[in-house]
């Protein structure tokens, strides 16, 4: 039996523990805060960060402006730095290489924003349809929301939030050398080989339930994310069609108005021109409103669905890492029973080391899973509230746009000459 082989204590873990006992670095390290006479305070971010509106783009490179300040600085000293997406990639590389403790759940870095012409064309075909000739505009505000959420997750983490690399990233004017980080051949081969152990049943009920949760919730959130993107992309295509219709109507007005002569027997009179011009303006207003609504939807609920669809990959990797350590521990237990007398001492040492690594990973993973679920629920509630507020404001704006358009149309004369 796997439980007997691993000799793991049957510890009841409640995912609804208080915030005070979860967000401390000591509890994350596996140390109990109950032995301390004074309760340890929850970990608080050492910095507050936000993205400024100043975003520049040059030669396919987007530069963001970050503003941060220390949480404990009463003087309010702020730091303003400029960073590219490659700087965020290198930050992630530094954090993951300097904190290799098995059991940590790494917050996922958002995908690279579309900056080059090729990337914009690919994104446009995905959102507007494969046959669309139009290109989506820059979505710097959405990119800032994604990257700011990523930094907030790092700052709230009791391990990554204390890392000196994160502090340097936020306060140093000059960024670290921009090095392209790639996985090597041996890392990819090792990951492929280790993935064969993923389906092994866990010896502890808590982690087995988490594996099942990741499988079911991962499929559900991927489906929800795809459906949400389909709805938003459909609205974007509708906005694009409204823009084409408004442009075509404006061009038709410009080519026909005033062309009264023997070669053009039919012309539009001024009243019909004003009426059609009002229709074109109304279509443009609806197009711009729809585009803003799409951006708001992606910046609220869309950010959560995309973030946690990627976040589950980190959770899955943490659970797989623990499974690999569990299998190593089981193998060391079997080796002790089968070892020859002269090799038994070495086998016992290997078993003790494997047991220590497995229990350390388990303790850390328990705390990380608690934090993940708590942050997931908190972030979902926050983004749903923002999404509802955005939808309400968008509906009111749509009513105002339609009302202005109808009033403009009602003010036009109705004696437009027919062909």
């Amino acid at each position: 039996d796997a439980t007997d082989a691993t000799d793991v204590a049957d510890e009841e873990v409640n995912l609804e523990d208080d915030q005070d006992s979860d967000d401390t670095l000591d509890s994350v390290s596996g140390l109990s805060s109950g032995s301390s006479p004074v309760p340890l305070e929850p970990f608080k971010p050492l910095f507050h960060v936000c993205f400024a509106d100043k975003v520049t783009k040059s030669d396919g490179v987007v530069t963001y402006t970050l503003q941060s300040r220390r949480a404990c600085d009463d003087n309010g000293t702020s730091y303003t730095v400029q960073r590219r997406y490659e700087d965020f990639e290198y930050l992630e590389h530094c954090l993951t290489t300097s904190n290799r403790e098995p059991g940590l759940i790494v917050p996922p870095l958002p995908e690279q924003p579309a900056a080059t012409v090729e990337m914009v064309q690919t994104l446009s075909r995905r959102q507007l349809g494969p046959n669309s000739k139009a290109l989506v505009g820059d979505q710097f505000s959405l990119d800032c929301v994604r990257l700011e959420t990523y930094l907030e997750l790092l700052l709230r983490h009791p391990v990554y939030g204390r890392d000196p690399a994160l502090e340097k990233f936020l306060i140093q004017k000059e960024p670290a050398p921009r090095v392209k980080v790639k996985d090597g051949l041996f890392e990819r081969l090792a990951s492929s080989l280790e993935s064969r152990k993923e389906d092994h049943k866990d010896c502890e009920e808590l982690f087995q339930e988490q594996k099942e949760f990741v499988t079911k919730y991962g499929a559900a959130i991927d489906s929800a994310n795809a459906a949400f993107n389909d709805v938003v992309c459909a609205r974007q295509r509708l906005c694009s069609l409204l823009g084409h219709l408004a442009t075509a109507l404006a061009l038709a007005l410009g080519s026909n108005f005033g062309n009264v002569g023997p070669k053009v027997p039919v012309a539009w009179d001024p009243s019909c021109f004003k009426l059609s011009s009002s229709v074109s303006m109304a279509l443009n207003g609806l197009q711009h409103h729809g585009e803003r609504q799409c951006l708001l939807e992606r910046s609220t609920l869309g950010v959560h669905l995309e973030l946690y669809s990627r976040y589950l990959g980190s959770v899955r990797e943490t659970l797989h890492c623990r499974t690999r350590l569990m299998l190593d521990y089981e193998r060391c237990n079997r080796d002790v029973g089968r070892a020859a007398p002269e090799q038994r001492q070495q086998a016992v040492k290997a078993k003790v080391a494997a047991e220590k690594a497995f229990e350390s990973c388990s303790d850390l993973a328990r705390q990380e899973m608690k934090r993940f679920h708590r942050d997931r629920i908190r972030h979902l509630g926050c983004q749903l509230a923002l999404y509802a507020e955005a939808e309400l404001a968008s509906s009111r704006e749509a009513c105002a746009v339609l009302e202005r358009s109808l009033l403009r149309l009602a003010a036009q004369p109705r004696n437009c000459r027919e062909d």
Side-chain angles (χ1 to χ4, degrees):
D1 186 78
T3 306
D4 297 335
T6 53
D7 193 24
V8 178
D10 186 12
E11 179 182 355
E12 293 292 335
V13 178
N14 183 11
L15 291 179
E16 301 297 331
D17 285 352
D18 293 336
Q19 174 88 6
D20 294 347
S21 62
D22 291 340
D23 282 343
T24 61
L25 187 61
D26 293 335
S27 61
V28 170
S29 303
L31 301 177
S32 174
S33 60
S35 59
S36 176
V38 180
L40 297 175
E41 295 183 358
F43 177 77
K44 297 180 180 180
L46 303 180
F47 286 87
H48 299 294
V49 63
C50 66
F51 277 63
D53 295 333
K54 182 181 179 181
V55 180
T56 59
K57 181 179 179 181
S58 177
D59 297 331
V61 177
V62 181
T63 304
Y64 306 94
T65 302
L66 282 68
Q67 295 177 343
S68 61
R69 62 179 180 84
R70 297 183 184 273
C72 59
D73 188 1
D74 297 333
N75 297 327
T77 303
S78 61
Y79 305 91
T80 302
V81 297
Q82 292 185 334
R83 296 291 184 261
R84 301 177 183 177
Y85 183 79
E86 290 78 8
D87 300 325
F88 287 89
E89 287 183 316
Y90 188 68
L91 171 65
E92 182 190 41
H93 171 73
C94 293
L95 293 177
T96 53
T97 53
S98 61
N99 301 280
R100 293 182 175 273
E101 295 87 347
L104 285 175
I105 299 178
V106 185
L109 179 67
E111 64 179 6
Q112 184 174 3
T116 63
V117 177
E118 293 77 11
M119 297 173 67
V120 173
Q121 290 176 346
T122 302
L123 180 63
S124 301
R125 286 192 293 268
R126 186 174 62 189
Q127 294 184 357
L128 303 179
N131 299 324
S132 176
K133 302 297 183 181
L135 297 178
V136 296
D138 294 324
Q139 300 177 345
F140 294 144
S141 60
L142 177 59
D143 300 335
C144 290
V145 171
R146 290 169 175 167
L147 293 173
E148 184 175 333
T149 303
Y150 170 69
L151 288 179
E152 288 177 352
L153 289 174
L154 293 178
L155 289 170
R156 288 172 56 87
H157 199 281
V159 175
Y160 299 119
R162 298 175 185 267
D163 197 288
L166 181 58
E167 179 179 356
K168 294 179 181 179
F169 179 86
L170 295 175
I171 67 176
Q172 286 188 353
K173 283 285 186 181
E174 295 297 326
R178 297 185 177 100
V179 180
K180 189 65 176 179
V181 180
K182 294 183 179 180
D183 291 335
L185 174 62
F186 293 103
E187 286 79 1
R188 292 195 297 269
L189 289 176
S191 178
S192 176
L193 293 175
E194 293 294 341
S195 63
R196 301 178 182 179
K197 305 176 182 179
E198 296 175 358
D199 297 332
H200 188 86
K201 186 176 181 180
D202 202 285
C203 63
E204 192 169 341
E205 183 179 359
L206 169 68
F207 289 104
Q208 183 61 32
E209 291 176 353
Q210 293 305 307
K211 285 185 177 181
E212 297 173 358
F213 167 82
V214 168
T215 301
K216 296 179 181 179
Y217 187 76
I221 197 170
D222 287 342
S223 177
N225 189 33
F228 181 83
N229 285 328
D230 289 342
V231 173
V232 177
C233 290
R235 184 177 289 111
Q236 283 185 305
R237 289 191 288 270
L238 177 60
C239 293
S240 179
L241 293 176
L242 289 175
H244 288 316
L245 181 58
T247 302
L249 185 57
L251 292 176
L253 290 173
S255 61
N256 285 280
F257 180 66
N259 292 333
V260 181
K263 295 183 179 180
V264 185
V266 178
W268 293 16
D269 62 17
S271 61
C272 189
F273 173 83
K274 293 180 180 179
L275 180 63
S276 300
S277 178
S278 299
V279 173
S280 178
M281 292 176 60
L283 293 176
N284 275 323
L286 291 175
Q287 177 198 5
H288 296 323
H289 163 73
E291 291 174 348
R292 288 193 298 271
Q293 184 179 4
C294 291
L295 184 59
L296 287 174
E297 290 174 344
R298 290 188 182 277
S299 301
T300 53
L301 184 58
V303 167
H304 174 84
L305 295 176
E306 178 184 346
L307 169 64
Y308 280 89
S309 179
R310 299 168 63 88
Y311 217 148
L312 285 180
S314 299
V315 177
R316 190 178 293 110
E317 176 58 30
T318 297
L319 294 175
H320 294 165
C321 177
R322 182 184 175 278
T323 300
R324 292 192 291 267
L325 293 176
M326 181 186 69
L327 294 177
D328 291 341
Y329 184 24
E330 292 177 350
R331 177 182 54 80
C332 290
N333 272 329
R334 292 192 298 267
D335 292 343
V336 170
R338 295 179 299 192
E342 61 274 9
Q343 298 177 346
R344 184 173 180 81
Q345 184 177 3
Q346 183 178 359
V348 170
K349 290 182 179 180
K351 172 192 172 182
V352 172
E355 179 183 10
K356 182 178 179 181
F358 173 65
E359 291 182 350
S360 176
C361 176
S362 299
D363 293 339
L364 183 55
R366 289 189 190 96
Q367 301 299 327
E368 288 289 278
M369 292 302 302
K370 295 176 188 178
R371 182 176 298 104
F372 168 77
H373 287 294
R374 185 175 55 250
D375 290 346
R376 175 180 60 85
I377 296 173
R378 177 191 57 82
H379 191 263
L380 176 60
C382 179
Q383 296 304 104
L384 280 176
L386 293 176
Y387 176 74
E389 293 175 0
E391 288 295 298
L392 181 59
S394 179
S395 299
R396 291 173 177 172
E397 182 183 355
C399 292
V401 170
L402 291 174
E403 183 179 2
R404 289 194 300 268
S405 301
L406 290 175
L407 291 176
R408 192 182 298 113
L409 291 174
Q412 303 298 327
R414 299 183 180 181
N415 57 346
C416 181
R417 188 175 63 185
E418 299 180 356
D419 294 345

